[in-house]
């Protein structure tokens, strides 16, 4: 047993330190990418489910790596969250979204609100509301043209600090959206306390539409609850016309997904902003 233990120890140790080196390298390169401004925003439309009219654009970050090219957020957002680098990266995203809105406004592109994804560590310093507002002011952006996409992890526990930062943003006129709804454990009272404007149902539920009654029943319950609480419902991950038709029948307010458009760079989204009705 002792010999085995030693063997596995010898086998395991170099493996561990190698992983650590890879992790540190990644963290270091992510840090350098933030300092070197290697990120761009893609935008995905969200449209009215009944009319197809463009309602909002979700800003989704991409890393343009000098060697590897375009890197999707699933490859670096989790690391950014774990290391705290998301605070700096998140502020970069807010700054870019505001700068883009200001540019579109200056160019006379018909504006719709832009939503940005925010991770819970971004609230840890307690001044997220002030940082956000300073970028709005710097670029002359009306707060009603930005929305914040939160996940349920932002609302875990009784963190009063997060609630007061969100309340400050709400009083400016910024809209709050709960993302990936249905995957967490929020209670109705937590949702009410946050004073959310929009529930975005996770695409796992959209994928079930048309395949079983389960997805439809879930949407039906969520939509009736949300409407009583004065919230709008967005279905994400809509890929087929069948899914759209079911959601229309259920009075879902808005949809987002590949059926309308994938996330695309700013110059490609401008064409859709001029077109306005996307189906
Ligand atoms: P999310 O916020 O849930 O964003 C939606 C994701 O679903 C996007 O992936 C989008 O490309 C994808 N998607 C949209 N429509 C469809 C569809 O019809 N079918 C399928 N299969 N997928 C669809 P993306 O852009 O790779 O982003 C992944 C996640 O990375 C986001 O999930 C979000 O959690 C995170 N993320 C992206 N940008 C940011 C950011 O600026 N800050 C933070 N904190 N997180 C971000
Ligand atoms: Ca989102
Ligand atoms: Ca989502
Ligand atoms: Ca997601």
């Amino acid at each position: 047993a002792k010999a085995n233990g030693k063997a596995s120890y010898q086998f395991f140790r170099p493996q561990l330190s190698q992983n650590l080196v890879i992790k540190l390298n990644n963290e270091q390169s992510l840090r350098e990418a933030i300092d070197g401004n290697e990120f761009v925003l893609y935008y995905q439309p969200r449209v009215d489910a009944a009319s197809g009219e463009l309602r909002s654009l979700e800003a989704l970050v991409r890393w343009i790596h000098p060697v590897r090219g375009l890197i999707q957020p699933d490859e670096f957002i989790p690391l950014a969250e774990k290391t705290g680098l998301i605070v700096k990266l998140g502020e970069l995203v807010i700054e870019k979204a505001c700068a883009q809105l200001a540019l579109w406004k200056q160019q006379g592109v018909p504006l719709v609100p832009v939503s940005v994804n925010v991770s819970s560590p971004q609230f840890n310093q307690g001044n997220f509301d002030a940082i956000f507002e300073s970028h709005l002011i710097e670029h002359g952006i009306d707060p009603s043209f930005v929305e914040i996409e939160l996940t349920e992890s932002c609302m875990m526990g009784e963190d009063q600090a997060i609630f007061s930062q969100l309340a400050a943003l709400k009083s400016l006129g910024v809209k709050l959206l709960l993302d990936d709804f249905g995957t967490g454990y929020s209670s109705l009272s937590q949702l009410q306390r946050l004073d959310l404007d929009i529930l975005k149902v996770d695409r796992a539920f959209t994928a079930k539409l048309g395949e079983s009654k389960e997805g439809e029943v879930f949407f039906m319950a969520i939509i009736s609850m949300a409407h009583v609480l004065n919230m709008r419902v967005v279905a994400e991950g809509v890929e087929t016309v069948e899914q759209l038709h079911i959601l229309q029948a259920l009075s879902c307010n808005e949809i987002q997904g590949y059926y309308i458009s994938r996330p695309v760079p700013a110059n490609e989204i401008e064409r859709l902003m001029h077109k306005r009705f996307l189906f």
Side-chain angles (χ1 to χ4, degrees), residues 44 58 61-62 73-74 93 117 119 179-180 203 237 239 258 263:
Q44 188 181 34
E58 180 176 6
V61 70
R62 267 81 182 121
D74 289 341
V93 166
N117 292 281
S119 302
D179 204 356
D180 302 338
R203 69 168 185 266
E239 296 183 353
Y258 295 169

Side-chain angles (χ1 to χ4, degrees), residues 58 117 149 151 179-181 200-203 236 256:
E58 180 176 6
N117 292 281
E149 303 209 359
T151 58
D179 204 356
D180 302 338
F181 184 68
K200 191 187 278 191
V201 176
D202 193 77
R203 69 168 185 266
E236 72 174 358
Q256 181 176 359

Side-chain angles (χ1 to χ4, degrees), residues 26-38:
N26 282 342
E27 181 175 347
Q28 186 54 28
S29 55
L30 185 56
R31 195 181 300 278
E32 285 166 10
I34 292 168
D35 292 338
N37 200 3
E38 292 176 10

